[in-house]
Amino acid sequence: DGTPLVGASINVNYGEMGLSTNENGYFEIQLPSKEVILVIRYVGYKAYRESVRLRGDASRDIKMLKVANDLEEVIVTSKANVN
C-alpha cells in the first residue's frame, strides 16, 4: 500500500554490514564496488533479496510483499539472573 516500513532490517552479504530504515522508511548505505547481496527483512513481510552492483549515487524504490499471518498468539520467555 506504499506505507514506509520504519525499522526494516537491511543486511549486505548476509551480515557483512547492517542497518535499519529511518522514520520515513529510507536508508543510505555505501556499497563496495563489487556485486553484493542486499537482504531486507520486516516482520509480516516476505524477505527481499537482490544481487546489486550500484555505481555512484543511486536510489531505488523497493516494494515488499505482505505475508499471511496465521499466528494467534506469541509467547516471549525471558530469563534473568538475580543476585
Side-chain angles (χ1 to χ4, degrees), residues 1-10 21 25 39-49 62-71:
D1 65 3
T3 303
L5 300 179
V6 178
S9 169
I10 318 310
T21 57
V39 181
I40 304 172
R41 291 185 177 90
Y42 193 78
V43 174
Y45 287 78
K46 182 178 179 185
Y48 175 91
R49 289 178 182 81
I62 297 171
K63 296 191 187 264
M64 297 182 68
L65 301 173
K66 283 187 179 182
V67 293
N69 188 352
D70 294 334
L71 294 176

Side-chain angles (χ1 to χ4, degrees), residues 15-74:
E16 225 174 73
M17 271 185 246
L19 65 147
S20 299
T21 57
N22 68 16
E23 64 276 357
N24 297 312
Y26 292 103
F27 68 96
E28 188 173 306
I29 190 169
Q30 288 190 322
L31 297 174
S33 58
K34 65 181 181 178
E35 190 169 313
V36 297
I37 305 294
L38 187 65
V39 181
I40 304 172
R41 291 185 177 90
Y42 193 78
V43 174
Y45 287 78
K46 182 178 179 185
Y48 175 91
R49 289 178 182 81
E50 182 180 1
S51 178
V52 296
R53 176 182 225 139
L54 300 175
R55 294 201 172 116
D57 289 339
S59 66
R60 68 174 9 131
D61 290 329
I62 297 171
K63 296 191 187 264
M64 297 182 68
L65 301 173
K66 283 187 179 182
V67 293
N69 188 352
D70 294 334
L71 294 176
E72 293 180 16
E73 182 177 0
V74 175

